Short mmCIF file of all heavy atoms in Angstrom, two decimals:
data_model
loop_
_atom_site.label_atom_id
_atom_site.label_comp_id
_atom_site.label_asym_id
_atom_site.label_seq_id
_atom_site.Cartn_x
_atom_site.Cartn_y
_atom_site.Cartn_z
N SER A 1 -3.08 15.01 -8.82
CA SER A 1 -3.74 14.45 -9.97
C SER A 1 -4.40 13.04 -9.67
O SER A 1 -4.00 12.37 -8.76
CB SER A 1 -2.69 14.31 -11.19
OG SER A 1 -1.77 13.21 -10.80
N PHE A 2 -5.35 12.71 -10.55
CA PHE A 2 -5.99 11.44 -10.39
C PHE A 2 -4.99 10.22 -10.62
O PHE A 2 -5.15 9.12 -10.07
CB PHE A 2 -7.23 11.29 -11.39
CG PHE A 2 -7.95 10.05 -11.32
CD1 PHE A 2 -8.56 9.72 -10.10
CD2 PHE A 2 -7.94 9.20 -12.27
CE1 PHE A 2 -9.33 8.62 -10.04
CE2 PHE A 2 -8.62 7.99 -12.31
CZ PHE A 2 -9.30 7.64 -11.09
N LEU A 3 -3.96 10.55 -11.44
CA LEU A 3 -2.91 9.55 -11.78
C LEU A 3 -2.19 9.19 -10.48
O LEU A 3 -1.86 7.94 -10.22
CB LEU A 3 -1.93 10.13 -12.80
CG LEU A 3 -2.48 10.21 -14.23
CD1 LEU A 3 -1.43 10.82 -15.09
CD2 LEU A 3 -2.91 8.92 -14.82
N LEU A 4 -2.02 10.10 -9.55
CA LEU A 4 -1.29 9.87 -8.28
C LEU A 4 -2.22 8.90 -7.40
O LEU A 4 -1.75 8.00 -6.72
CB LEU A 4 -1.05 11.12 -7.54
CG LEU A 4 -0.29 10.97 -6.27
CD1 LEU A 4 1.13 10.29 -6.46
CD2 LEU A 4 -0.12 12.27 -5.50
N ILE A 5 -3.56 9.08 -7.42
CA ILE A 5 -4.42 8.20 -6.74
C ILE A 5 -4.40 6.75 -7.23
O ILE A 5 -4.35 5.86 -6.53
CB ILE A 5 -5.86 8.76 -6.80
CG1 ILE A 5 -6.00 10.07 -6.15
CG2 ILE A 5 -6.90 7.79 -6.17
CD1 ILE A 5 -7.35 10.77 -6.16
N ILE A 6 -4.39 6.75 -8.51
CA ILE A 6 -4.23 5.38 -9.20
C ILE A 6 -2.94 4.62 -8.79
O ILE A 6 -3.03 3.53 -8.38
CB ILE A 6 -4.27 5.49 -10.68
CG1 ILE A 6 -5.69 5.99 -11.25
CG2 ILE A 6 -3.91 4.22 -11.43
CD1 ILE A 6 -5.78 6.25 -12.66
N ALA A 7 -1.85 5.48 -8.83
CA ALA A 7 -0.55 4.83 -8.55
C ALA A 7 -0.42 4.42 -7.08
O ALA A 7 -0.01 3.36 -6.74
CB ALA A 7 0.60 5.83 -8.76
N CYS A 8 -1.10 5.21 -6.15
CA CYS A 8 -0.87 4.91 -4.65
C CYS A 8 -1.97 4.01 -4.18
O CYS A 8 -1.75 3.33 -3.11
CB CYS A 8 -0.95 6.29 -3.86
SG CYS A 8 0.46 7.29 -4.13
N PHE A 9 -3.09 3.86 -4.82
CA PHE A 9 -4.20 3.08 -4.29
C PHE A 9 -4.62 1.87 -5.20
O PHE A 9 -5.05 0.83 -4.67
CB PHE A 9 -5.47 3.96 -4.00
CG PHE A 9 -5.38 4.94 -2.92
CD1 PHE A 9 -4.79 6.23 -3.16
CD2 PHE A 9 -5.69 4.60 -1.61
CE1 PHE A 9 -4.69 7.17 -2.14
CE2 PHE A 9 -5.58 5.49 -0.60
CZ PHE A 9 -5.02 6.80 -0.86
N LEU A 10 -4.57 2.05 -6.48
CA LEU A 10 -5.29 1.19 -7.32
C LEU A 10 -4.42 0.26 -8.26
O LEU A 10 -5.15 -0.41 -9.10
CB LEU A 10 -6.25 2.02 -8.17
CG LEU A 10 -7.24 2.93 -7.37
CD1 LEU A 10 -8.14 3.74 -8.32
CD2 LEU A 10 -8.18 1.97 -6.48
N ALA A 11 -3.18 0.22 -8.14
CA ALA A 11 -2.46 -0.76 -8.95
C ALA A 11 -2.93 -2.12 -8.47
O ALA A 11 -3.02 -2.53 -7.27
CB ALA A 11 -0.94 -0.67 -8.53
N PRO A 12 -3.47 -3.00 -9.53
CA PRO A 12 -4.22 -4.25 -9.13
C PRO A 12 -3.53 -5.15 -8.15
O PRO A 12 -4.08 -5.54 -7.22
CB PRO A 12 -4.39 -4.83 -10.57
CG PRO A 12 -4.32 -3.66 -11.50
CD PRO A 12 -3.36 -2.71 -10.94
N SER A 13 -2.12 -5.47 -8.51
CA SER A 13 -1.44 -6.39 -7.63
C SER A 13 -1.31 -5.80 -6.21
O SER A 13 -1.47 -6.57 -5.22
CB SER A 13 -0.10 -6.82 -8.27
OG SER A 13 0.65 -5.70 -8.36
N PHE A 14 -0.98 -4.54 -6.09
CA PHE A 14 -0.77 -3.86 -4.85
C PHE A 14 -2.14 -4.00 -4.08
O PHE A 14 -2.07 -4.33 -2.89
CB PHE A 14 -0.26 -2.48 -5.08
CG PHE A 14 -0.46 -1.60 -3.80
CD1 PHE A 14 0.56 -1.72 -2.83
CD2 PHE A 14 -1.45 -0.76 -3.57
CE1 PHE A 14 0.45 -0.98 -1.71
CE2 PHE A 14 -1.50 0.06 -2.50
CZ PHE A 14 -0.55 -0.08 -1.51
N LEU A 15 -3.26 -3.53 -4.70
CA LEU A 15 -4.53 -3.52 -4.07
C LEU A 15 -4.92 -4.93 -3.54
O LEU A 15 -5.45 -5.05 -2.41
CB LEU A 15 -5.56 -3.00 -4.92
CG LEU A 15 -7.04 -2.85 -4.42
CD1 LEU A 15 -7.06 -1.89 -3.30
CD2 LEU A 15 -7.94 -2.45 -5.58
N TYR A 16 -4.67 -5.95 -4.34
CA TYR A 16 -5.08 -7.26 -3.96
C TYR A 16 -4.27 -7.91 -2.91
O TYR A 16 -4.78 -8.32 -1.88
CB TYR A 16 -4.92 -8.11 -5.31
CG TYR A 16 -5.42 -9.53 -5.15
CD1 TYR A 16 -6.66 -9.88 -4.97
CD2 TYR A 16 -4.41 -10.55 -4.99
CE1 TYR A 16 -7.00 -11.27 -4.77
CE2 TYR A 16 -4.67 -11.95 -4.82
CZ TYR A 16 -6.05 -12.29 -4.68
OH TYR A 16 -6.35 -13.59 -4.48
N TRP A 17 -2.85 -7.82 -2.95
CA TRP A 17 -2.01 -8.45 -2.08
C TRP A 17 -1.91 -7.77 -0.75
O TRP A 17 -1.82 -8.41 0.33
CB TRP A 17 -0.64 -8.72 -2.60
CG TRP A 17 -0.64 -9.66 -3.77
CD1 TRP A 17 -0.47 -9.46 -5.05
CD2 TRP A 17 -0.76 -11.09 -3.55
NE1 TRP A 17 -0.57 -10.63 -5.78
CE2 TRP A 17 -0.77 -11.66 -4.89
CE3 TRP A 17 -0.98 -11.89 -2.48
CZ2 TRP A 17 -0.86 -13.09 -5.10
CZ3 TRP A 17 -1.09 -13.35 -2.60
CH2 TRP A 17 -1.04 -13.84 -3.99
N THR A 18 -2.05 -6.48 -0.68
CA THR A 18 -1.98 -5.67 0.56
C THR A 18 -3.25 -5.49 1.29
O THR A 18 -3.40 -5.01 2.35
CB THR A 18 -1.32 -4.25 0.39
OG1 THR A 18 -2.13 -3.52 -0.50
CG2 THR A 18 0.11 -4.46 -0.16
N SER A 19 -4.47 -5.95 0.54
CA SER A 19 -5.66 -5.95 1.21
C SER A 19 -6.11 -7.24 1.87
O SER A 19 -6.78 -7.30 2.84
CB SER A 19 -6.79 -5.52 0.17
OG SER A 19 -6.55 -4.32 -0.37
N GLY A 20 -5.56 -8.34 1.32
CA GLY A 20 -5.89 -9.63 1.85
C GLY A 20 -5.43 -9.82 3.28
O GLY A 20 -4.46 -9.21 3.73
N LEU A 21 -6.12 -10.73 3.99
CA LEU A 21 -5.91 -10.94 5.38
C LEU A 21 -4.68 -11.95 5.47
O LEU A 21 -4.73 -13.08 5.67
CB LEU A 21 -7.13 -11.73 6.02
CG LEU A 21 -7.11 -11.68 7.56
CD1 LEU A 21 -7.02 -10.37 8.25
CD2 LEU A 21 -8.41 -12.32 8.06
N HIS A 22 -3.50 -11.25 5.32
CA HIS A 22 -2.21 -11.90 5.47
C HIS A 22 -1.19 -10.82 5.81
O HIS A 22 -1.57 -9.74 6.16
CB HIS A 22 -1.93 -12.46 4.08
CG HIS A 22 -1.04 -13.70 4.14
ND1 HIS A 22 0.27 -13.72 4.75
CD2 HIS A 22 -1.19 -15.05 3.76
CE1 HIS A 22 0.77 -14.94 4.77
NE2 HIS A 22 -0.07 -15.75 4.13
N LYS A 23 0.10 -11.22 5.87
CA LYS A 23 1.10 -10.31 6.40
C LYS A 23 1.43 -9.13 5.54
O LYS A 23 2.03 -8.11 5.94
CB LYS A 23 2.33 -11.16 6.64
CG LYS A 23 2.13 -12.25 7.76
CD LYS A 23 3.34 -13.03 7.96
CE LYS A 23 3.75 -13.96 6.97
NZ LYS A 23 2.78 -15.16 6.88
N ASP A 24 1.07 -9.18 4.25
CA ASP A 24 1.63 -8.25 3.28
C ASP A 24 0.97 -6.79 3.67
O ASP A 24 1.77 -5.82 3.60
CB ASP A 24 1.14 -8.49 1.89
CG ASP A 24 1.69 -9.88 1.53
OD1 ASP A 24 2.84 -9.90 0.99
OD2 ASP A 24 1.01 -10.93 1.61
N GLY A 25 -0.19 -6.75 4.08
CA GLY A 25 -0.86 -5.37 4.36
C GLY A 25 -0.23 -4.77 5.58
O GLY A 25 0.13 -3.63 5.61
N LEU A 26 0.10 -5.60 6.63
CA LEU A 26 0.76 -5.04 7.77
C LEU A 26 2.20 -4.71 7.57
O LEU A 26 2.72 -3.63 8.10
CB LEU A 26 0.79 -6.14 8.98
CG LEU A 26 -0.57 -6.11 9.88
CD1 LEU A 26 -0.38 -7.16 10.93
CD2 LEU A 26 -0.73 -4.76 10.47
N THR A 27 2.92 -5.46 6.66
CA THR A 27 4.15 -5.08 6.29
C THR A 27 4.24 -3.70 5.62
O THR A 27 5.03 -2.89 5.87
CB THR A 27 4.75 -6.16 5.34
OG1 THR A 27 4.79 -7.42 5.94
CG2 THR A 27 6.13 -5.79 4.80
N TYR A 28 3.22 -3.59 4.72
CA TYR A 28 3.24 -2.18 4.04
C TYR A 28 2.90 -1.07 5.00
O TYR A 28 3.40 0.08 4.91
CB TYR A 28 2.13 -2.27 2.88
CG TYR A 28 2.14 -1.03 2.06
CD1 TYR A 28 3.20 -0.91 1.07
CD2 TYR A 28 1.19 -0.08 2.18
CE1 TYR A 28 3.26 0.23 0.28
CE2 TYR A 28 1.23 1.06 1.35
CZ TYR A 28 2.26 1.19 0.52
OH TYR A 28 2.27 2.36 -0.31
N LEU A 29 1.97 -1.37 5.92
CA LEU A 29 1.63 -0.33 7.03
C LEU A 29 2.88 0.00 7.86
O LEU A 29 3.11 1.24 7.97
CB LEU A 29 0.53 -0.96 7.95
CG LEU A 29 0.27 -0.05 9.23
CD1 LEU A 29 -0.43 1.16 8.73
CD2 LEU A 29 -0.73 -0.90 10.09
N ALA A 30 3.69 -0.92 8.17
CA ALA A 30 4.86 -0.61 8.97
C ALA A 30 5.85 0.21 8.06
O ALA A 30 6.44 1.12 8.58
CB ALA A 30 5.55 -1.91 9.44
N LEU A 31 6.00 -0.26 6.85
CA LEU A 31 7.00 0.45 5.96
C LEU A 31 6.42 1.88 5.71
O LEU A 31 7.27 2.75 5.69
CB LEU A 31 7.07 -0.37 4.56
CG LEU A 31 7.93 0.25 3.55
CD1 LEU A 31 9.32 0.37 4.02
CD2 LEU A 31 7.86 -0.56 2.32
N ALA A 32 5.27 1.93 5.42
CA ALA A 32 4.58 3.27 5.19
C ALA A 32 4.75 4.30 6.36
O ALA A 32 5.06 5.43 6.16
CB ALA A 32 3.16 3.13 4.73
N ALA A 33 4.56 3.76 7.52
CA ALA A 33 4.65 4.57 8.68
C ALA A 33 6.08 5.02 8.95
O ALA A 33 6.27 6.21 9.27
CB ALA A 33 4.24 3.74 9.96
N ILE A 34 7.01 4.22 8.69
CA ILE A 34 8.48 4.45 8.80
C ILE A 34 8.82 5.62 7.84
O ILE A 34 9.41 6.61 8.28
CB ILE A 34 9.33 3.29 8.56
CG1 ILE A 34 9.16 2.31 9.82
CG2 ILE A 34 10.90 3.70 8.47
CD1 ILE A 34 9.78 0.96 9.58
N ILE A 35 8.45 5.42 6.59
CA ILE A 35 8.73 6.46 5.51
C ILE A 35 8.04 7.80 5.89
O ILE A 35 8.69 8.84 5.71
CB ILE A 35 8.43 5.96 4.21
CG1 ILE A 35 9.30 4.80 3.83
CG2 ILE A 35 8.41 6.94 3.19
CD1 ILE A 35 8.90 4.07 2.54
N TYR A 36 6.76 7.72 6.32
CA TYR A 36 5.97 8.89 6.60
C TYR A 36 6.69 9.72 7.69
O TYR A 36 6.82 10.99 7.62
CB TYR A 36 4.58 8.55 7.02
CG TYR A 36 3.75 9.74 7.35
CD1 TYR A 36 2.98 10.39 6.42
CD2 TYR A 36 3.55 10.09 8.79
CE1 TYR A 36 2.14 11.44 6.68
CE2 TYR A 36 2.77 11.26 9.05
CZ TYR A 36 2.01 11.86 7.98
OH TYR A 36 1.25 12.95 8.31
N ILE A 37 7.07 8.94 8.79
CA ILE A 37 7.63 9.67 9.95
C ILE A 37 9.02 10.22 9.50
O ILE A 37 9.31 11.45 9.98
CB ILE A 37 7.74 8.72 11.06
CG1 ILE A 37 6.37 8.36 11.69
CG2 ILE A 37 8.67 9.34 12.22
CD1 ILE A 37 6.40 7.26 12.61
N PHE A 38 9.71 9.56 8.77
CA PHE A 38 11.03 10.09 8.36
C PHE A 38 10.98 11.32 7.48
O PHE A 38 11.68 12.22 7.53
CB PHE A 38 11.87 9.04 7.65
CG PHE A 38 12.88 8.27 8.47
CD1 PHE A 38 12.46 7.23 9.29
CD2 PHE A 38 14.23 8.70 8.57
CE1 PHE A 38 13.32 6.64 10.12
CE2 PHE A 38 15.10 8.01 9.37
CZ PHE A 38 14.71 6.98 10.12
#
């Protein structure tokens, strides 16, 4: 559903903080990769 796209990509605070050039985006990348592989 489109709701799943909104939840995973477009939550405003999530989109803003994990896109900026800071550690949050890389933290989420590492966490996401761990969960995906498991």
Side-chain angles (χ1 to χ4, degrees):
S1 69
F2 182 66
L3 290 176
L4 184 61
I5 296 177
I6 293 175
C8 291
F9 290 91
L10 302 178
S13 64
F14 168 78
L15 179 63
Y16 180 75
W17 289 109
T18 61
S19 297
L21 196 54
H22 211 299
K23 297 181 285 289
D24 303 274
L26 274 182
T27 300
Y28 188 77
L29 172 64
L31 177 63
I34 293 169
I35 292 174
Y36 179 87
I37 292 171
F38 265 82

